[in-house]
Amino acid sequence: MKYSGQIRTLVAVDCIILGFDGEEYKLLLIQRGFAPEKKKWSLMGGFIQPTETLEEAAIRILKQLTGLENVYMEQLHTFSDPNRDPVERTIAVAYFALVDIQKYEKQISKEFHAEWFSLKDTPELIFDHNQMIEMAKNRLRYKAAFHPILFELLPDKFTLPQLQALYEGLYDTLFDRRNFSRKLLSTGLFIKQKEKEKETSKKGAFYYKLDQDRYLSDFQAFLKFIPNPDKLMYQEA
Amino acid sequence: MKYSGQIRTLVAVDCIILGFDGEEYKLLLIQRGFAPEKKKWSLMGGFIQPTETLEEAAIRILKQLTGLENVYMEQLHTFSDPNRDPVERTIAVAYFALVDIQKYEKQISKEFHAEWFSLKDTPELIFDHNQMIEMAKNRLRYKAAFHPILFELLPDKFTLPQLQALYEGLYDTLFDRRNFSRKLLSTGLFIKQKEKEKETSKKGAFYYKLDQDRYLSDFQAFLKFIPNPDKLMYQEA
DNA sequence: TAATAAAATGTAATATTGACACAATTATAA
DNA sequence: TTATAATTGTGTCAATATTACATTTTATTA
């Protein structure tokens, strides 16, 4: 301790882990195993360790809970209300992660009493975790309107109707099927497969895959995935 | 200290203070008065205090250096490399502020040896401060493409040519005067004044003011201030 | 083989954008 | 006094993108 006269604070990382089950958005929560607020639902989190960065901590915590690595994750915001944790002042850095819900390893959930909740029906959480989730939702809405980020939630192969459900679910609205597919396909990000998905409809819908090269090179490009984005996005909390 | 077995860390706030002098973007830096890296240029910063939030700390630090309050400021990112500060591990939360450079109170700068630098010609700074500035530039480029944020840099009254210089400076490019003014004016954000600014040109250019009501209500609206935004924005560091 | 359900493709009207030209204003010089 | 020059303000048209809406295709099953 060489900067004298300054306080030192606990720094925690909290992970907002989002998935999509084909119908609706899901949020992975754990039942807190220790006081305070034991048994209450909470985001998965942990304290930063001496030799790791925040990002490394977030990756560590995500892996602990889901078994997943190489997952899309970004820093969301740092929360600092002096009384946000009643036990002791803790600065919390929130990260949000987008995972393919099917890759999630269930056996791990037992250790933490984890469960997927509908994002629309999030329970009351400890501390400021509900606020974090609100912010993550807004960030995702914003980013997904212009960048091909939602594909992190889908398996390798997906159909146009699945894609549309993904976008409609996020913005809680309906898009015109014809205009939607034209807009999406015009990005050139998708490669049509020869097989069809035939579980959900008689005719079956062609599978598509992401063109990985284009996906990487165009991730920052400014695409427009939805019409009238300003009417569908909300201010960050 | 009630969460046992966890380390506590210093938490600092660093402020990226940006201005525009009519010609180019400026960055307010201080000459560090204490070790390490004494005399080297640095962002203005400070440690968070026990009873304040990060945002309050940022506001406090900004006021200390500039005398300004009610300034546009947003949290940028939290930096956490364990070795970013060689003296002691410090987590740094960067904020960026947009100020009207004319309102800045010069007498204050003497205390901190502060100076405005051209953003294009930023000197080498301590720690990871150059990286913070890169990220702030990218964030500003991104946000300004769609939200009326740059007006925080201008005085109450401004002309269309000034406005265009503001945007051209940020994106380091030239826009067609006619298309630019059409796009900007079509947002309905501006109220034409009767007076002209006659310093810089023979003919003089009409002043405009922001329609404050619309500005507040449309701040989150999704406008498009520049053509081909994707060609002008860069990935965040 | 006809009916049905869902996916895929097509088209015309409208709105937005981008490229470009010309007119208006006024200090300064001829 | 008038011409010049520099800069601001406004206008037009073609190309492009978007929206709203209809029809055709595919495969199942009655």
Side-chain angles (χ1 to χ4, degrees):
Chain A
M1 299 211 183
K2 298 170 193 165
Y3 285 115
S4 61
Q6 298 299 337
I7 56 153
R8 276 117 190 119
T9 317
L10 278 174
V11 177
V13 170
D14 288 308
C15 291
I16 297 140
I17 303 166
L18 298 173
F20 181 73
D21 69 0
E23 302 258 304
E24 56 172 11
Y25 281 77
K26 297 284 195 175
L27 174 65
L28 190 59
L29 298 174
I30 63 168
Q31 206 164 17
R32 202 168 148 98
F34 52 94
E37 311 254 32
K38 192 172 170 176
K39 291 263 175 177
K40 231 183 158 182
W41 292 100
S42 154
L43 293 172
M44 178 76 177
F47 294 107
I48 192 171
Q49 298 303 307
T51 61
E52 68 185 358
T53 63
L54 286 163
E55 202 186 330
E56 286 161 356
I59 289 168
R60 169 175 60 77
I61 288 163
L62 184 79
K63 177 158 189 211
Q64 231 188 325
L65 180 62
T66 64
L68 298 175
E69 288 178 288
N70 293 114
V71 161
Y72 181 88
M73 190 143 66
E74 68 175 75
Q75 189 183 304
L76 179 64
H77 192 78
T78 300
F79 294 80
S80 61
D81 188 306
N83 305 116
R84 54 174 297 284
D85 185 326
V87 176
E88 177 181 345
R89 180 166 204 190
T90 308
I91 305 282
V93 185
Y95 278 78
F96 82 88
L98 302 178
V99 309
D100 175 356
I101 209 164
Q102 299 185 43
K103 288 192 186 145
Y104 163 70
E105 296 176 23
K106 280 183 184 154
Q107 78 284 359
I108 299 183
S109 75
K110 285 176 186 161
E111 185 183 343
F112 296 100
H113 303 278
E115 265 181 43
W116 287 101
F117 284 78
S118 163
L119 187 58
K120 277 189 185 166
D121 204 18
T122 308
E124 197 197 319
L125 305 179
I126 64 162
F127 306 166
D128 46 6
H129 287 192
N130 289 97
Q131 193 194 334
M132 291 178 180
I133 289 165
E134 267 312 295
M135 205 181 272
K137 257 201 286 196
N138 285 329
R139 174 75 63 89
L140 188 60
R141 284 205 180 107
Y142 196 108
K143 197 149 186 177
F146 311 113
H147 304 286
I149 190 177
L150 295 186
F151 307 99
E152 304 287 346
L153 297 165
L154 293 179
D156 281 356
K157 294 186 298 187
F158 47 84
T159 66
L160 283 177
Q162 281 167 13
L163 216 52
Q164 188 161 353
L166 185 70
Y167 279 85
E168 291 183 340
L170 183 59
Y171 298 102
D172 199 19
T173 189
L174 299 175
F175 298 113
D176 182 274
R177 198 160 31 86
R178 299 150 288 191
N179 295 335
F180 180 83
S181 70
R182 182 175 36 182
K183 192 178 283 283
L184 271 280
L185 293 178
S186 75
T187 62
L189 281 169
F190 308 101
I191 302 169
K192 193 173 187 170
Q193 306 301 112
K194 287 183 178 165
E195 339 149 58
K196 281 185 167 183
E197 188 278 330
K198 322 235 318 189
E199 308 279 296
T200 41
S201 82
K202 292 174 183 171
K203 182 177 174 182
F206 281 105
Y207 277 118
Y208 286 82
K209 280 189 180 178
L210 266 187
D211 181 331
Q212 283 300 327
D213 291 343
R214 275 194 98 113
Y215 175 61
L216 293 172
S217 70
D218 290 3
F219 192 85
Q220 290 298 326
F222 193 83
L223 309 168
K224 211 180 145 196
F225 287 106
I226 57 168
N228 298 320
D230 53 331
K231 291 185 182 144
L232 300 170
M233 296 186 304
Y234 309 101
Q235 176 164 13
E236 283 202 356
Chain B
M1 299 214 184
K2 298 169 192 166
Y3 285 115
S4 61
Q6 299 299 336
I7 57 152
R8 276 107 188 131
T9 317
L10 277 175
V11 177
V13 170
D14 288 309
C15 292
I16 297 139
I17 302 166
L18 298 172
F20 181 73
D21 68 0
E23 302 258 303
E24 57 173 10
Y25 282 76
K26 296 285 192 171
L27 173 67
L28 191 59
L29 298 174
I30 63 168
Q31 206 166 16
R32 203 168 148 98
F34 52 94
E37 311 255 32
K38 193 172 170 176
K39 290 262 172 175
K40 232 184 158 181
W41 292 100
S42 153
L43 293 171
M44 178 77 178
F47 294 109
I48 192 171
Q49 298 304 306
T51 60
E52 67 185 358
T53 63
L54 286 163
E55 202 187 330
E56 286 161 356
I59 289 168
R60 169 174 61 76
I61 289 162
L62 183 78
K63 177 156 187 213
Q64 232 187 324
L65 180 61
T66 64
L68 297 174
E69 288 179 288
N70 293 116
V71 161
Y72 181 87
M73 190 143 66
E74 66 175 74
Q75 189 182 301
L76 179 65
H77 192 78
T78 300
F79 294 80
S80 61
D81 188 304
N83 305 116
R84 55 175 296 284
D85 184 327
V87 176
E88 176 180 347
R89 180 167 204 189
T90 307
I91 305 281
V93 185
Y95 279 78
F96 80 88
L98 303 177
V99 309
D100 175 355
I101 210 166
Q102 299 186 43
K103 289 192 186 143
Y104 164 68
E105 297 178 20
K106 280 181 184 158
Q107 78 284 357
I108 298 183
S109 75
K110 286 176 186 161
E111 186 183 343
F112 297 101
H113 302 279
E115 265 180 43
W116 287 102
F117 284 77
S118 163
L119 186 58
K120 278 189 183 165
D121 203 18
T122 308
E124 197 198 317
L125 305 179
I126 63 162
F127 306 166
D128 46 7
H129 287 192
N130 288 98
Q131 195 193 333
M132 292 179 180
I133 289 164
E134 266 314 295
M135 204 182 272
K137 257 200 285 196
N138 285 329
R139 174 75 62 89
L140 188 60
R141 283 204 181 106
Y142 195 108
K143 198 149 186 177
F146 311 115
H147 305 285
I149 193 178
L150 294 186
F151 307 98
E152 304 287 347
L153 296 165
L154 294 180
D156 281 356
K157 294 185 299 185
F158 47 83
T159 66
L160 284 177
Q162 281 167 12
L163 216 53
Q164 187 162 352
L166 186 70
Y167 279 86
E168 291 184 340
L170 183 60
Y171 298 102
D172 200 18
T173 189
L174 299 175
F175 299 114
D176 182 273
R177 197 162 34 87
R178 298 150 290 193
N179 294 335
F180 180 83
S181 70
R182 181 178 47 185
K183 192 180 281 287
L184 271 280
L185 293 178
S186 76
T187 62
L189 281 170
F190 308 101
I191 302 170
K192 193 172 187 172
Q193 306 300 112
K194 287 183 178 164
E195 340 148 58
K196 279 185 167 181
E197 188 278 329
K198 323 241 310 194
E199 310 277 300
T200 41
S201 82
K202 292 172 185 172
K203 182 176 174 180
F206 281 105
Y207 277 118
Y208 286 83
K209 280 188 179 179
L210 266 187
D211 182 330
Q212 284 300 327
D213 292 343
R214 274 195 102 112
Y215 175 61
L216 294 172
S217 71
D218 290 3
F219 192 85
Q220 291 298 327
F222 193 81
L223 309 167
K224 212 179 145 199
F225 287 105
I226 58 167
N228 298 320
D230 53 329
K231 291 185 182 146
L232 301 170
M233 296 186 304
Y234 310 100
Q235 177 164 13
E236 283 203 357

